[in-house]
Amino acid sequence: MSTENPARLTTADIDLSDLRFWARPLEERARAFALLRARPAPEFFTLPKLPFLGQSPGAWALVRHADVTEASRHPEVFSSEPSATSPADMPRWMDKYFNSMIDMDDPRHAKIRRIVSRAFSPKMLAKAEDDIARRAARIVDELIEAGGGDLVSQVAVRLPVEVICDMLGIPARHHRQVVEWTNIIVGYSDPEYVGATVEYGADGTARMGRLATLRMLGTIASAGWRLHRLAARLGRERATTPTDDLTSALVNANVDGERLSPREFATFFLLLVVAGNETTRNAIAHGLRLFTEHPEQRELLLADFDGRIAGAVEEIVRYSSPVIFMRRNLTRDHEMNGHTFRKGDRVTLFYWSANRDEDVFTDPESFDITRSPNPHVGFGGPGPHFCLGANLARREITVMLRELFTRLPDITAGEPDRLMSGFINGYKRLPCTFTPPASAPGQTKDA
């Protein structure tokens, strides 16, 4: 994206494949996507060529709500294979770590989803509900004792990671490592996590040397390998000595004769620990920031927390759109809204833009917790890839906001340190301050 005055942007100034675009202020990003939505047809963006990565001419950007939902409903045309999460094809040797059900179509996707859906039993989800409440109370106790600090590391990360780790039976001693490994996997474009960055020449061409690219890929693969090793160890233990956790349910599941292979279990395990915390942690952090920037919405929420929190959670997810995009791959020629896509084309479903579509949302740039209806795609579009853990995420966000705003009603967020990413709209750090409550925090035991 060029350095032109953002108020006078044209589509020629916008390059969604340029990482520098995603470092721009969010207001500029919003104006850029509004321009793209106003175009009569989707724009094509060329991917930079980097060593060792499968080369592609680029992808068509689907930025309208109607296009994103239509593509999501038709996986037989808009395929998730070979990848749904990476703009470029990653080296094939990395598939064994990251080729999970999110990168699959039916019948492979349907098989795994049947098995894992059965494993998410009402009993297991009910146990998770109790754990969420206990853990949220203890986490806020410790935030109060610390007198404030970084909301991301002290609050937003901890709740979803502890909950999903407990569901899977991952011992507490591994929680910090799980956070580090998932930060690397979703922060693959941020130099802080992978130790390498894309550089741009005077002509705007993206460059990354062979050694830097190898360092980046090696760091990501190492994190994936370590999570696979943890999954394999836990899987072997639960196969011989089952307990009541999700790992036991998954490795011992037999649905109409279908079982997960060790590799299928390991890749789904990795998907759970990554996806099981990213949307929630970022929604919690964005939520505090949004309520700080919009005090009238905080007052509205606190005036009737139980009556308005469900709408507030949906609006936080819509407005922040923690997952910015997913990729799809055309299986055949297809016409949609007057544009003909060709077999082999790639498209990028920009949820962040779809959630601001003026044809669907009145005054989409306003944060309004009473918005109704709110058909956002923050948990993915309709269809087989809608987020399996959406209800768990909603519950975690609800419980944590209740703890924060009822116990620390004046808690506010400072300036965030944003993740350098075009995939995850996340905060790496977010300072928070509050007036300590008059009474000492409760003696909540570790859940």
Side-chain angles (χ1 to χ4, degrees), residues 16-253:
L16 302 184
S17 66
D18 187 332
L19 189 59
R20 294 172 297 182
F21 170 84
W22 301 100
R24 290 294 189 108
L26 297 181
E27 296 80 6
E28 293 183 28
R29 182 192 300 180
R31 284 194 286 271
F33 274 111
L35 282 174
L36 294 176
R37 288 192 299 272
R39 297 283 293 168
E43 293 284 321
F44 187 85
F45 294 94
T46 302
L47 289 174
K49 294 182 179 180
L50 300 176
F52 308 110
L53 299 184
Q55 296 306 323
S56 160
W60 297 96
L62 300 188
V63 295
R64 298 172 181 167
H65 191 278
D67 290 349
V68 168
T69 55
E70 182 72 7
S72 300
R73 290 190 180 100
H74 293 284
E76 74 282 2
V77 178
F78 296 90
S79 168
S80 295
E81 299 180 356
S83 176
T85 56
S86 173
D89 291 343
M90 301 299 284
R92 295 297 301 272
W93 56 267
M94 295 182 72
D95 283 354
K96 60 184 176 182
Y97 303 127
F98 302 108
N99 187 237
S100 67
M101 64 183 287
I102 203 170
D103 302 303
M104 297 177 185
D105 297 320
D106 292 343
R108 289 198 304 159
H109 175 270
K111 169 198 168 182
I112 296 177
R113 185 134 184 158
R114 277 194 301 271
I115 295 171
V116 301
S117 295
R118 187 76 61 89
F120 277 87
S121 65
K123 178 181 178 182
M124 186 166 294
L125 292 177
K127 179 178 180 296
E129 289 251 346
D130 294 338
D131 287 346
I132 291 168
R134 289 196 298 271
R135 291 180 187 280
R138 173 176 50 76
I139 288 169
V140 174
D141 283 349
E142 294 172 7
L143 177 68
I144 293 171
E145 291 171 358
D150 173 28
L151 186 93
V152 173
S153 62
Q154 293 173 241
V155 176
V157 168
R158 290 182 57 192
L159 179 63
V161 165
E162 288 184 14
V163 169
I164 198 64
C165 283
D166 185 67
M167 290 179 68
L168 286 164
I170 300 174
R173 66 180 181 275
H174 293 304
H175 290 186
R176 185 179 296 276
Q177 293 173 312
V178 168
V179 171
E180 292 174 359
W181 297 333
T182 57
N183 280 344
I184 290 169
I185 291 169
V186 299
Y188 59 80
S189 55
D190 192 308
E192 179 176 337
Y193 296 125
V194 297
T197 187
V198 174
E199 297 179 352
Y200 291 85
D203 60 353
T205 302
R207 299 186 179 93
M208 182 181 282
R210 293 174 67 86
L211 287 177
T213 306
L214 280 175
R215 185 185 306 117
M216 176 188 70
L217 294 175
T219 302
I220 298 168
S222 177
W225 174 75
R226 292 174 188 279
L227 282 169
H228 270 243
R229 188 173 64 170
L230 177 60
R233 185 168 69 249
L234 287 174
R236 287 193 299 268
E237 292 174 358
R238 299 303 190 271
T240 57
T241 310
T243 62
D244 62 350
D245 59 31
L246 184 55
T247 293
S248 293
L250 289 170
V251 298
N252 296 295

